[in-house]
Amino acid sequence: MLKIGGIEMKNQVVLAPMAGVCNPAFRLIAKEFGTGLVCAEMVSDKAIIHGNKRTREMLFVDEREKPLSLQIFGGDRESLVEAAKVVDQETNADIIDINMGCPVPKVTKCDAGARWLLDPNKIYEMVSAVVESVSKPVTVKMRIGWDSEHIYAVENARAVERAGGQAVSVHGRTREQLYTGHANWDIIRDVKEAVSIPVIGNGDVASPEDARRMLDLTNCDGVMIGRGALGNPWMLYRTIEYLQTGKLLPDPSPEEKIRIAILHMDRLVTLKGEAVAVREMRKHLAWYLKGLKGSARIKDVIMEETKRDDMVRILEQFVSQLPAADVDEFSASAASPAAVAQ
């Protein structure tokens, strides 16, 4: 099993720290679906230090989510260390993760995120400073390189290890690629061979079979699932089952998809209030509805809704009008953790 410092996960599956997605509402569903480790969306070091109310709310961890990794980012050593101390002393997160993979310009221009990929010495300096200042395990999530001409994944991972980092997650794309092209799993394998700390592979894991192939090819210790879980938390527990038993569970029925989508929305309402939650849920519902027959016709309607009850009515009406063949009971419901997600 995957073990980071003294924290042992019950399986090898990790939910990626996706911005705008991995708040407690979705993370808890992922945990109820069996995920070994869930990662919170990244939070700015300076926002943490300045005590921004919204930022502090992002540091909330439900006990049911644990073990959980909370990710921070920044380009200044002093502020990163101070933010890490807040996470270490004032939250019940289990792991502090440092982002050195975010490719967006507003982050890299601050000498943060993927910008670190160009300088193994800075990685050592920053990670060691954080490690020396906190008691919780420190990990790093990175990409393989800045661009095709600057791929320093092995050197960067070794710098993390020398600095006292307890694990490294490696997305097999460069900053230049963003989310296009293909993830290079061979470089993830090279990183695994170069360090003794746990390595978690990330990138192009869209099915349980992909997860198995990644583990077999790279020999990595864990597999991180990001976009494959958007509107599809079943991907997480189907992967866990497949890795453990070789059994490929069926996809959920449309009714099951909508039930969990409504649960997700209701948890967001509790977390953020109806007005904010319903607006935020629109993108998630587009993901939940993906692949369902006739869903295109209601997506435009959903994008205009502002009330929870109206959203539920639209979704339930949509499912009730699907052909009977499309709403057969989920044959694996007895094995599904969805029954827990109430």
Side-chain angles (χ1 to χ4, degrees), residues 130-143:
V130 171
V131 169
E132 290 169 5
S133 303
V134 301
S135 59
K136 292 177 179 177
V138 176
T139 62
V140 166
K141 185 173 190 295
M142 69 179 196
R143 286 177 174 246

Side-chain angles (χ1 to χ4, degrees), residues 28-46:
L28 185 54
I29 289 174
K31 181 61 69 170
E32 289 166 338
F33 276 56
T35 310
L37 176 66
V38 295
C39 302
E41 56 188 314
M42 68 179 187
V43 186
S44 161
D45 59 349
K46 289 182 170 55

Side-chain angles (χ1 to χ4, degrees), residues 12-312:
Q12 296 171 285
V13 176
V14 180
L15 175 68
M18 295 174 284
V21 173
C22 290
N23 52 48
F26 185 68
R27 296 193 315 249
L28 185 54
I29 289 174
K31 181 61 69 170
E32 289 166 338
F33 276 56
T35 310
L37 176 66
V38 295
C39 302
E41 56 188 314
M42 68 179 187
V43 186
S44 161
D45 59 349
K46 289 182 170 55
I48 292 174
I49 295 168
H50 295 155
N52 178 290
K53 181 176 181 292
R54 179 176 174 274
T55 300
R56 287 303 181 110
E57 290 172 352
M58 292 173 70
L59 302 182
F60 171 75
V61 178
D62 188 311
E63 280 292 323
R64 294 171 293 175
E65 300 178 72
K66 293 164 66 70
L68 175 138
S69 171
L70 206 156
Q71 187 181 78
I72 60 177
F73 74 94
D76 174 74
R77 182 172 66 177
E78 183 177 346
S79 61
L80 192 71
V81 166
E82 289 306 309
K85 287 180 180 178
V86 171
V87 175
D88 187 50
Q89 300 167 17
E90 300 180 28
T91 80
N92 58 343
D94 301 279
I95 296 165
I96 301 170
D97 189 61
I98 300 173
N99 180 297
M100 53 182 253
C102 182
V104 301
K106 70 177 182 179
V107 172
T108 58
K109 284 179 181 177
C110 298
D111 202 25
R115 193 73 189 176
W116 292 23
L117 300 171
L118 292 166
D119 189 353
N121 291 327
K122 173 163 185 170
I123 292 169
Y124 174 80
E125 172 192 333
M126 298 286 273
V127 175
S128 60
V130 171
V131 169
E132 290 169 5
S133 303
V134 301
S135 59
K136 292 177 179 177
V138 176
T139 62
V140 166
K141 185 173 190 295
M142 69 179 196
R143 286 177 174 246
I144 57 172
W146 179 257
D147 55 31
S148 59
E149 301 299 318
H150 301 85
I151 295 179
Y152 306 142
V154 168
E155 296 91 334
N156 290 340
R158 284 175 172 161
V160 171
E161 183 175 37
R162 288 198 313 275
Q166 301 276 326
V168 60
S169 301
V170 184
H171 183 165
R173 287 182 173 83
T174 63
R175 189 275 327 171
E176 183 181 53
Q177 284 181 274
L178 300 178
Y179 297 97
T180 64
H182 298 287
N184 190 324
W185 292 358
D186 290 335
I187 294 178
I188 297 175
R189 181 188 59 206
D190 293 342
V191 170
K192 173 59 185 171
E193 292 174 352
V195 298
S196 58
I197 57 175
V199 174
I200 300 168
N202 178 220
D204 289 352
V205 179
S207 69
E209 297 97 323
D210 290 338
R212 178 78 271 164
R213 284 192 292 270
M214 172 181 275
L215 289 169
D216 290 344
L217 175 67
T218 68
N219 198 34
C220 59
D221 302 276
V223 57
M224 180 174 279
I225 297 172
R227 289 176 295 162
L230 295 177
N232 185 23
W234 299 271
M235 165 64 178
L236 299 165
Y237 91 89
R238 291 179 73 237
T239 298
I240 294 163
E241 181 70 21
Y242 187 71
L243 294 180
Q244 292 179 344
T245 70
K247 181 180 179 182
L248 194 60
L249 297 176
D251 286 319
S253 68
E255 287 181 331
E256 174 73 358
K257 282 192 169 188
I258 297 306
R259 189 180 77 80
I260 296 300
I262 293 172
L263 172 66
H264 187 170
M265 178 168 59
D266 285 344
R267 285 180 172 169
L268 270 181
V269 170
T270 300
L271 192 68
K272 302 186 176 187
E274 182 178 36
V276 173
V278 172
R279 285 199 304 272
E280 185 172 314
M281 195 64 199
R282 293 169 183 168
K283 64 182 179 185
H284 289 281
L285 287 172
W287 293 324
Y288 277 105
L289 290 166
K290 186 177 180 180
L292 296 185
K293 292 181 180 178
S295 62
R297 70 176 184 268
I298 70 162
K299 285 181 181 177
D300 290 341
V301 177
I302 283 172
M303 293 303 164
E304 301 298 323
E305 285 302 330
T306 59
K307 300 294 184 182
R308 179 266 180 200
D309 289 349
D310 291 338
M311 196 76 90
V312 170

